[in-house]
Amino acid sequence: MLNAHNNSNGAEEHETIHAIRSIERGDEITISSDHSGTSTERQALLKESFSFSCTYSSYTLPPSLLEASDNRYT
C-alpha cells in the first residue's frame, strides 16, 4: 500500500516526498511509479527518474497482453 506521494521540482532540481499516511521507523517509503504511456515509455521514465528497471508482472506480459495493457494507459 502506498504511504507517500512524490513531487518533482525541475526548476530547483529536487524532489519532495509527502507522507499520505503514518510511516513507522523502519518502514519502506512507497510511492506510485505509474504514469501514462506505453510500457516502454514507463520503463524508460523509471530508469531515468529512479535508476531501476521495474519487474512487475505487468511489464513482463506476453506481447499481445502487453499491447492490450499499453492501450489502457495511452
Side-chain angles (χ1 to χ4, degrees), residues 1-4 20-23 28-32:
M1 173 175 260
L2 300 177
N3 59 17
I20 56 175
R21 65 179 179 85
S22 294
I23 303 172
E28 181 178 17
I29 297 173
T30 56
I31 60 172
S32 175

Side-chain angles (χ1 to χ4, degrees), residues 8-26:
S8 181
N9 185 325
E12 295 186 21
E13 297 183 351
H14 76 269
E15 186 161 350
T16 304
I17 306 293
H18 303 274
I20 56 175
R21 65 179 179 85
S22 294
I23 303 172
E24 301 298 322
R25 182 181 292 260

Side-chain angles (χ1 to χ4, degrees):
M1 173 175 260
L2 300 177
N3 59 17
H5 169 76
N6 64 315
N7 185 309
S8 181
N9 185 325
E12 295 186 21
E13 297 183 351
H14 76 269
E15 186 161 350
T16 304
I17 306 293
H18 303 274
I20 56 175
R21 65 179 179 85
S22 294
I23 303 172
E24 301 298 322
R25 182 181 292 260
D27 284 354
E28 181 178 17
I29 297 173
T30 56
I31 60 172
S32 175
S33 59
D34 194 12
H35 300 277
S36 63
T38 67
S39 56
T40 301
E41 293 166 339
R42 294 190 311 270
Q43 279 282 33
L45 179 64
L46 292 172
K47 189 70 167 176
E48 180 182 325
S49 299
F50 302 107
S51 299
F52 81 97
S53 296
C54 182
T55 58
Y56 289 149
S57 60
S58 60
Y59 288 104
T60 58
L61 293 169
S64 62
L65 295 176
L66 186 58
E67 181 179 2
S69 176
D70 284 348
N71 289 338
R72 288 190 296 272
Y73 278 96
T74 56

